[in-house]
Amino acid sequence: MNTIIYVDNNATTMVAPEVFGAMQPFFSERYGNASSIHRFGGTVGHDLDEARARVAALLGARPEEIVFTSCGTESDNTAVIGVLRANPDKRHIITTKVEHPAIRSLCQVLAKEHYEVTEVPVNRQGELDVGLLADAIRPDTALITVMWANNETGVIFPVETIADIARANGVVFHTDAVQAVGKLPINLAESPIDLLSLSGHKLHAPKGIGALYVRRGTKLAPLLVGGHQEHGRRGGTENTASIVGLGKAAELAAAHLDDENARVRRLRDRLEKRIIQNTPDCFVNGHPEHRLPNTSNISFEYVEGEAILLMLDELGICASSGSACTSGSLEPSHVMRAMGVPFTAAHGSIRFSLSIYNTDEEIDFIAEHVPRIIKRLREISPFVRGGAKPGTVTYFPQDKARDAH
Ligand code: PLP
């Protein structure tokens, strides 16, 4: 297989050549420690300042509100644990049923440690009922954490509205914006969001670098306790090369956000339309409009997602079933379950997530092959052979029980 067609950008992205170029000197001649007194290290400190300013500019934040971390997961953990530690008298967290494991698994651990967690459900289109969320607020609610955009479906949540509600109730609001940053315009100067997580490898910077926006005045205890780096908010010698890379990626994203995302949306829509037109019994998961411009999650009835992925892989096409973290397990994702996607369709869901590096030719190639793959797989599908007919909805046993009530 010579050519790769990469449409798995919600899992990770290619490092932009400009980002790679900006990072290279920090592996060789510019290896100084930014905390050193000597000029050799001090100049690296200036490079970090510049990177911080670039990340802040992408978010409409102040440079001093940006804390560099090692990844989106660390940013999420810092936000949640940091707020709880800073508000020890409050023990209630509100989140959603469709968060990434970086939040969801953490909340499940905290629920075993005497915290109470309310998970707000989503509807069939993956949208959140903001009224239900507001009703869940209690006097002891420490934090509301809601993702900006879902990694599996791309569905966008009204985080600014939710942040308004949180503020009106004196509750800190955090958003996991790992999938949103670089794909949606964000202006934190004009929003009541207190904390925001991002991850470099989702926006063409390397893996192993992230950032947490901490609005000035937000009470937050550090997760990594150590040196005075990041103004005492995150101990550990800075990953200078990756921070500079993230700064460059943020600069590129800010410069090209509107035009590149319009192009990506056009490609995504074309791919989706052609697949839907030419494949019976398939549908898009998630709200058709309130979605990231790069993400298409399509359910193909009566076929296994893993089988589709393998056949795509033979053609050099890299896509995903569910999120990168949940694929590999035969359980359909918690997101599909929360949306009430029927069993057979949830099992056959594929996520195509595009980037600015995809081309029209690539999209046409995928759109041409997907209907053929589905047709071939259906001919040998145990669902179809087992008697399920197109139009028959097959439920998870527990969903069926729920629907009966
Ligand atoms: N949050 C969301 C929504 C994600 O999609 C991901 C990664 O897939 C993460 C958090 C975790 O980010 P990282 O891989 O940088 O730890």
Coordinates of all heavy atoms in Angstrom, one line a residue, residues 250-314:
A250 N -1.1 27.2 16.4 CA -2.2 28.1 16.8 C -2.2 29.3 15.8 O -3.2 29.8 15.4 CB -2.0 28.6 18.2
E251 N -1.0 29.8 15.5 CA -0.9 30.9 14.5 C -1.4 30.5 13.2 O -2.2 31.3 12.6 CB 0.6 31.3 14.4 CG 0.8 32.5 13.6 CD 2.3 32.7 13.3 OE1 3.0 31.8 12.8 OE2 2.8 33.8 13.5
L252 N -1.1 29.3 12.7 CA -1.6 28.9 11.4 C -3.1 28.7 11.4 O -3.8 29.1 10.5 CB -1.0 27.5 11.0 CG 0.5 27.5 10.7 CD1 1.0 26.1 10.5 CD2 0.8 28.3 9.4
A253 N -3.6 28.1 12.5 CA -5.1 27.9 12.6 C -5.8 29.3 12.6 O -6.8 29.4 12.0 CB -5.4 27.2 13.9
A254 N -5.3 30.2 13.4 CA -5.9 31.6 13.5 C -5.9 32.2 12.1 O -6.9 32.8 11.7 CB -5.2 32.4 14.5
A255 N -4.9 32.1 11.3 CA -4.8 32.8 10.0 C -5.7 32.1 9.0 O -6.2 32.8 8.1 CB -3.3 32.7 9.6
H256 N -6.0 30.8 9.1 CA -6.7 30.1 8.0 C -8.0 29.6 8.5 O -8.7 28.9 7.7 CB -5.8 29.0 7.5 CG -4.5 29.5 7.0 ND1 -4.4 30.4 6.0 CD2 -3.2 29.2 7.4 CE1 -3.1 30.6 5.8 NE2 -2.4 29.9 6.6
L257 N -8.4 29.9 9.7 CA -9.6 29.2 10.2 C -10.8 29.3 9.3 O -11.4 28.3 8.9 CB -10.0 29.8 11.6 CG -11.0 29.1 12.4 CD1 -10.4 27.9 13.1 CD2 -11.6 30.0 13.5
D258 N -11.2 30.5 8.8 CA -12.4 30.7 8.1 C -12.4 30.0 6.7 O -13.2 29.2 6.4 CB -12.7 32.1 7.9 CG -13.1 32.8 9.2 OD1 -13.4 32.0 10.2 OD2 -13.0 34.0 9.3
D259 N -11.3 30.3 5.9 CA -11.3 29.8 4.6 C -11.0 28.3 4.6 O -11.7 27.5 3.8 CB -10.3 30.5 3.7 CG -8.9 30.7 4.4 OD1 -8.9 30.7 5.6 OD2 -7.9 30.7 3.7
E260 N -10.1 27.8 5.4 CA -9.8 26.4 5.4 C -11.0 25.5 5.9 O -11.3 24.5 5.3 CB -8.6 26.0 6.3 CG -7.3 26.6 5.8 CD -6.7 25.9 4.6 OE1 -7.5 25.1 3.9 OE2 -5.5 26.0 4.3
N261 N -11.7 26.0 6.9 CA -12.8 25.3 7.4 C -14.0 25.3 6.4 O -14.7 24.3 6.3 CB -13.2 25.7 8.8 CG -12.4 25.1 9.8 OD1 -12.1 23.9 9.7 ND2 -11.9 25.9 10.8
A262 N -14.1 26.3 5.6 CA -15.2 26.3 4.6 C -14.8 25.3 3.5 O -15.7 24.6 3.1 CB -15.2 27.7 4.0
R263 N -13.6 25.2 3.2 CA -13.2 24.1 2.2 C -13.4 22.7 2.8 O -13.9 21.8 2.1 CB -11.7 24.3 1.9 CG -11.2 23.6 0.6 CD -9.8 24.0 0.3 NE -8.9 23.3 1.2 CZ -8.5 22.0 1.1 NH1 -9.0 21.3 0.1 NH2 -7.7 21.5 2.0
V264 N -13.0 22.5 4.1 CA -13.2 21.2 4.7 C -14.6 20.9 4.8 O -15.0 19.7 4.5 CB -12.5 21.2 6.1 CG1 -12.9 20.0 6.9 CG2 -11.0 21.3 6.0
R265 N -15.5 21.8 5.1 CA -16.9 21.6 5.2 C -17.5 21.1 3.8 O -18.3 20.2 3.7 CB -17.7 22.8 5.7 CG -19.2 22.6 5.8 CD -19.9 23.9 6.1 NE -19.4 24.6 7.3 CZ -19.9 24.3 8.5 NH1 -20.8 23.4 8.7 NH2 -19.4 24.9 9.6
R266 N -17.0 21.8 2.8 CA -17.5 21.5 1.4 C -17.1 20.0 1.1 O -17.9 19.2 0.6 CB -16.8 22.4 0.4 CG -17.3 22.2 -1.0 CD -16.6 23.2 -2.0 NE -15.2 23.1 -2.0 CZ -14.5 22.2 -2.6 NH1 -15.1 21.2 -3.2 NH2 -13.2 22.2 -2.6
L267 N -15.9 19.6 1.4 CA -15.4 18.3 1.2 C -16.2 17.3 2.0 O -16.7 16.2 1.5 CB -13.9 18.1 1.5 CG -12.9 18.8 0.6 CD1 -11.5 18.6 1.2 CD2 -13.0 18.4 -0.8
R268 N -16.4 17.6 3.2 CA -17.2 16.7 4.1 C -18.6 16.5 3.6 O -19.1 15.4 3.5 CB -17.2 17.3 5.5 CG -17.7 16.4 6.7 CD -19.2 16.4 6.9 NE -19.8 17.7 6.9 CZ -20.1 18.4 8.0 NH1 -19.7 18.0 9.2 NH2 -20.7 19.6 8.0
D269 N -19.2 17.6 3.2 CA -20.6 17.5 2.7 C -20.7 16.7 1.4 O -21.6 15.9 1.2 CB -21.2 18.9 2.5 CG -21.4 19.6 3.9 OD1 -21.4 18.9 4.9 OD2 -21.7 20.8 3.9
R270 N -19.7 16.9 0.6 CA -19.7 16.1 -0.7 C -19.6 14.6 -0.4 O -20.3 13.8 -1.0 CB -18.6 16.6 -1.6 CG -18.8 16.1 -3.0 CD -18.0 16.8 -4.0 NE -16.8 16.1 -4.3 CZ -15.7 16.7 -4.8 NH1 -15.7 18.0 -5.0 NH2 -14.7 16.0 -5.1
L271 N -18.7 14.3 0.5 CA -18.4 12.9 0.8 C -19.7 12.3 1.4 O -20.2 11.2 1.0 CB -17.3 12.8 1.9 CG -17.0 11.4 2.4 CD1 -16.5 10.5 1.4 CD2 -16.1 11.5 3.6
E272 N -20.3 13.0 2.3 CA -21.5 12.5 3.0 C -22.7 12.3 2.0 O -23.3 11.3 2.0 CB -21.9 13.5 4.1 CG -22.7 13.0 5.2 CD -22.7 14.0 6.3 OE1 -23.4 15.0 6.2 OE2 -22.1 13.7 7.4
K273 N -22.9 13.3 1.2 CA -24.0 13.3 0.2 C -23.8 12.1 -0.7 O -24.8 11.3 -0.9 CB -24.0 14.6 -0.5 CG -25.3 14.9 -1.2 CD -25.3 16.3 -1.7 CE -26.3 16.4 -2.9 NZ -26.0 17.5 -3.8
R274 N -22.6 11.9 -1.2 CA -22.4 10.8 -2.2 C -22.6 9.5 -1.6 O -23.1 8.6 -2.1 CB -21.0 11.0 -2.8 CG -21.0 12.1 -3.9 CD -19.8 12.1 -4.7 NE -19.6 10.8 -5.4 CZ -18.5 10.5 -6.1 NH1 -17.5 11.4 -6.2 NH2 -18.3 9.3 -6.7
I275 N -22.1 9.3 -0.3 CA -22.2 8.0 0.3 C -23.7 7.7 0.6 O -24.2 6.7 0.3 CB -21.4 8.0 1.7 CG1 -19.9 8.0 1.4 CG2 -21.8 6.8 2.5 CD1 -19.0 8.0 2.6
I276 N -24.4 8.7 1.1 CA -25.8 8.5 1.5 C -26.7 8.2 0.2 O -27.5 7.4 0.2 CB -26.4 9.8 2.2 CG1 -25.6 10.1 3.5 CG2 -27.9 9.7 2.4 CD1 -26.0 9.2 4.7
Q277 N -26.4 9.0 -0.8 CA -27.1 8.8 -2.1 C -26.9 7.4 -2.7 O -27.8 6.8 -3.2 CB -26.7 9.8 -3.1 CG -27.5 11.1 -3.1 CD -26.9 12.1 -4.1 OE1 -25.9 11.9 -4.7 NE2 -27.6 13.2 -4.1
N278 N -25.7 6.8 -2.5 CA -25.4 5.6 -3.2 C -25.4 4.4 -2.3 O -25.0 3.3 -2.7 CB -24.0 5.7 -3.9 CG -24.1 6.8 -4.9 OD1 -25.0 6.9 -5.7 ND2 -23.0 7.6 -5.0
T279 N -25.8 4.5 -1.0 CA -25.8 3.4 -0.1 C -27.2 3.3 0.6 O -27.6 4.2 1.3 CB -24.8 3.6 1.0 OG1 -23.6 4.1 0.4 CG2 -24.5 2.2 1.7
P280 N -27.9 2.2 0.4 CA -29.2 2.1 1.1 C -29.0 1.8 2.6 O -27.9 1.4 3.0 CB -29.9 0.8 0.5 CG -28.9 0.2 -0.5 CD -27.6 1.0 -0.5
D281 N -30.0 2.2 3.4 CA -30.0 1.9 4.8 C -28.7 2.4 5.5 O -28.0 1.7 6.2 CB -30.1 0.4 5.1 CG -31.5 -0.1 4.6 OD1 -32.5 0.5 5.0 OD2 -31.5 -1.0 3.8
C282 N -28.5 3.7 5.4 CA -27.4 4.4 6.2 C -27.9 5.8 6.5 O -28.8 6.3 5.9 CB -26.1 4.4 5.5 SG -26.0 5.5 4.0
F283 N -27.4 6.3 7.6 CA -27.8 7.6 8.0 C -26.7 8.3 8.8 O -25.8 7.6 9.4 CB -29.1 7.6 8.9 CG -29.0 6.7 10.0 CD1 -28.5 7.1 11.3 CD2 -29.5 5.4 10.0 CE1 -28.4 6.3 12.4 CE2 -29.4 4.5 11.1 CZ -28.9 5.0 12.3
V284 N -26.8 9.6 8.8 CA -25.7 10.4 9.6 C -26.1 10.5 11.0 O -27.3 10.7 11.4 CB -25.6 11.8 9.0 CG1 -24.7 12.7 9.8 CG2 -25.2 11.7 7.5
N285 N -25.2 10.3 11.9 CA -25.4 10.4 13.3 C -25.0 11.9 13.8 O -23.9 12.4 13.4 CB -24.5 9.4 14.1 CG -25.0 8.0 14.0 OD1 -26.2 7.7 14.2 ND2 -24.1 7.1 13.5
G286 N -25.9 12.4 14.6 CA -25.6 13.8 15.1 C -26.3 14.8 14.3 O -26.8 14.6 13.2
H287 N -26.5 16.0 15.0 CA -27.3 17.1 14.4 C -26.7 17.5 13.0 O -25.5 17.7 13.0 CB -27.4 18.2 15.3 CG -28.4 19.2 14.9 ND1 -28.2 20.2 13.9 CD2 -29.7 19.4 15.3 CE1 -29.2 20.9 13.8 NE2 -30.2 20.5 14.6
P288 N -27.5 17.6 12.0 CA -26.9 17.9 10.6 C -26.2 19.2 10.6 O -25.2 19.4 9.9 CB -28.1 17.8 9.7 CG -29.3 17.8 10.5 CD -28.9 17.3 11.9
E289 N -26.7 20.2 11.3 CA -26.0 21.5 11.2 C -25.1 21.8 12.4 O -24.0 22.3 12.2 CB -27.1 22.7 11.2 CG -27.5 23.0 9.8 CD -28.8 22.3 9.5 OE1 -29.7 22.4 10.3 OE2 -28.9 21.6 8.4
H290 N -25.5 21.5 13.6 CA -24.7 21.9 14.8 C -23.6 20.9 14.9 O -23.5 20.1 15.9 CB -25.6 21.9 16.1 CG -26.8 22.8 16.0 ND1 -27.9 22.6 16.7 CD2 -27.0 23.9 15.2 CE1 -28.8 23.6 16.4 NE2 -28.2 24.4 15.5
R291 N -22.7 20.9 14.0 CA -21.6 19.9 13.9 C -20.3 20.6 13.5 O -20.4 21.6 12.8 CB -21.9 18.9 12.8 CG -22.5 17.6 13.3 CD -22.5 16.6 12.1 NE -23.1 17.0 10.9 CZ -22.9 16.4 9.7 NH1 -22.2 15.3 9.7 NH2 -23.5 16.9 8.6
L292 N -19.2 20.0 13.9 CA -17.9 20.4 13.4 C -17.9 20.3 11.9 O -18.5 19.4 11.3 CB -16.8 19.6 14.0 CG -16.5 19.7 15.5 CD1 -15.5 18.6 15.9 CD2 -16.1 21.1 15.8
P293 N -17.2 21.2 11.2 CA -17.2 21.2 9.7 C -16.5 20.0 9.1 O -16.7 19.6 8.0 CB -16.5 22.5 9.3 CG -15.7 22.9 10.5 CD -16.5 22.4 11.7
N294 N -15.7 19.3 10.0 CA -14.8 18.2 9.4 C -15.3 16.8 9.7 O -14.7 15.9 9.2 CB -13.4 18.3 10.0 CG -13.3 17.7 11.4 OD1 -14.2 17.9 12.2 ND2 -12.3 17.0 11.7
T295 N -16.4 16.7 10.5 CA -16.7 15.3 11.0 C -18.0 14.8 10.3 O -19.0 15.5 10.3 CB -16.9 15.4 12.5 OG1 -15.7 16.0 13.1 CG2 -17.1 14.0 13.1
S296 N -17.9 13.5 9.9 CA -19.1 12.9 9.5 C -19.2 11.5 10.1 O -18.2 10.7 9.9 CB -19.1 12.7 7.9 OG -20.2 12.0 7.5
N297 N -20.2 11.2 10.9 CA -20.3 9.9 11.5 C -21.6 9.2 10.8 O -22.7 9.7 11.0 CB -20.5 10.0 13.0 CG -20.5 8.7 13.7 OD1 -21.2 7.8 13.3 ND2 -19.8 8.6 14.8
I298 N -21.3 8.1 10.1 CA -22.4 7.5 9.4 C -22.6 6.1 9.9 O -21.7 5.3 10.0 CB -22.1 7.5 7.8 CG1 -21.8 8.9 7.3 CG2 -23.2 6.9 7.0 CD1 -21.4 9.0 5.9
S299 N -23.9 5.7 10.1 CA -24.2 4.4 10.5 C -24.7 3.6 9.3 O -25.6 4.1 8.5 CB -25.4 4.4 11.5 OG -24.8 4.5 12.8
F300 N -24.1 2.4 9.1 CA -24.5 1.5 8.0 C -25.2 0.3 8.7 O -24.5 -0.4 9.4 CB -23.3 1.1 7.2 CG -22.5 2.2 6.6 CD1 -21.4 2.8 7.2 CD2 -22.9 2.8 5.4 CE1 -20.8 3.9 6.7 CE2 -22.3 3.8 4.8 CZ -21.2 4.4 5.5
E301 N -26.5 0.2 8.4 CA -27.2 -0.9 9.0 C -26.7 -2.3 8.6 O -26.3 -2.4 7.4 CB -28.7 -0.8 8.7 CG -29.4 0.4 9.3 CD -30.1 0.1 10.6 OE1 -29.7 -0.9 11.3 OE2 -30.9 0.9 11.0
Y302 N -26.7 -3.3 9.5 CA -26.4 -4.7 9.2 C -25.0 -5.0 8.8 O -24.7 -6.0 8.1 CB -27.4 -5.2 8.1 CG -28.8 -4.7 8.2 CD1 -29.4 -3.9 7.3 CD2 -29.5 -5.0 9.4 CE1 -30.7 -3.4 7.5 CE2 -30.8 -4.5 9.6 CZ -31.4 -3.7 8.7 OH -32.6 -3.2 8.9
V303 N -24.1 -4.1 9.1 CA -22.6 -4.4 8.9 C -21.8 -4.0 10.1 O -22.2 -3.1 10.9 CB -22.1 -3.7 7.6 CG1 -22.3 -4.5 6.4 CG2 -22.5 -2.3 7.5
E304 N -20.7 -4.7 10.3 CA -19.8 -4.4 11.5 C -18.9 -3.3 11.1 O -18.2 -3.3 10.0 CB -19.0 -5.6 11.8 CG -19.8 -6.8 12.4 CD -20.1 -6.6 13.8 OE1 -19.5 -5.8 14.5 OE2 -21.0 -7.3 14.3
G305 N -18.8 -2.3 11.9 CA -17.9 -1.2 11.7 C -16.4 -1.7 11.5 O -15.7 -1.2 10.6
E306 N -16.0 -2.7 12.3 CA -14.7 -3.1 12.2 C -14.4 -3.7 10.8 O -13.3 -3.5 10.2 CB -14.4 -4.2 13.2 CG -14.1 -3.7 14.6 CD -15.4 -3.1 15.3 OE1 -16.5 -3.4 14.9 OE2 -15.2 -2.2 16.2
A307 N -15.4 -4.4 10.2 CA -15.2 -5.0 8.9 C -15.1 -3.9 7.9 O -14.2 -4.0 6.9 CB -16.4 -5.9 8.6
I308 N -15.9 -2.9 8.0 CA -15.8 -1.7 7.1 C -14.4 -1.1 7.1 O -13.7 -0.9 6.1 CB -16.8 -0.6 7.4 CG1 -18.2 -1.2 7.4 CG2 -16.8 0.5 6.4 CD1 -19.3 -0.3 7.9
L309 N -13.9 -0.9 8.4 CA -12.6 -0.3 8.6 C -11.5 -1.1 7.9 O -10.6 -0.6 7.3 CB -12.3 -0.1 10.1 CG -13.0 0.9 10.8 CD1 -12.5 1.0 12.2 CD2 -12.9 2.3 10.1
L310 N -11.6 -2.5 8.1 CA -10.5 -3.3 7.5 C -10.5 -3.2 6.0 O -9.5 -3.1 5.3 CB -10.8 -4.8 7.9 CG -10.4 -5.1 9.4 CD1 -10.8 -6.5 9.7 CD2 -9.0 -4.8 9.7
M311 N -11.7 -3.2 5.4 CA -11.8 -3.1 3.9 C -11.3 -1.7 3.4 O -10.7 -1.6 2.4 CB -13.2 -3.4 3.4 CG -13.4 -4.9 3.7 SD -15.0 -5.5 3.0 CE -14.7 -5.6 1.3
L312 N -11.6 -0.7 4.2 CA -11.1 0.7 3.9 C -9.6 0.7 4.0 O -8.9 1.2 3.1 CB -11.7 1.7 4.8 CG -13.2 2.1 4.7 CD1 -13.7 3.0 5.8 CD2 -13.5 2.7 3.3
D313 N -9.1 0.0 5.0 CA -7.7 0.0 5.3 C -6.9 -0.7 4.1 O -5.9 -0.2 3.7 CB -7.4 -0.8 6.6 CG -6.0 -0.6 7.1 OD1 -5.5 0.5 7.0 OD2 -5.4 -1.6 7.5
E314 N -7.6 -1.7 3.5 CA -6.9 -2.3 2.4 C -6.7 -1.4 1.2 O -5.8 -1.5 0.4 CB -7.8 -3.5 1.9 CG -7.5 -4.8 2.7 CD -8.5 -5.9 2.3 OE1 -9.0 -5.9 1.2 OE2 -8.6 -6.8 3.1

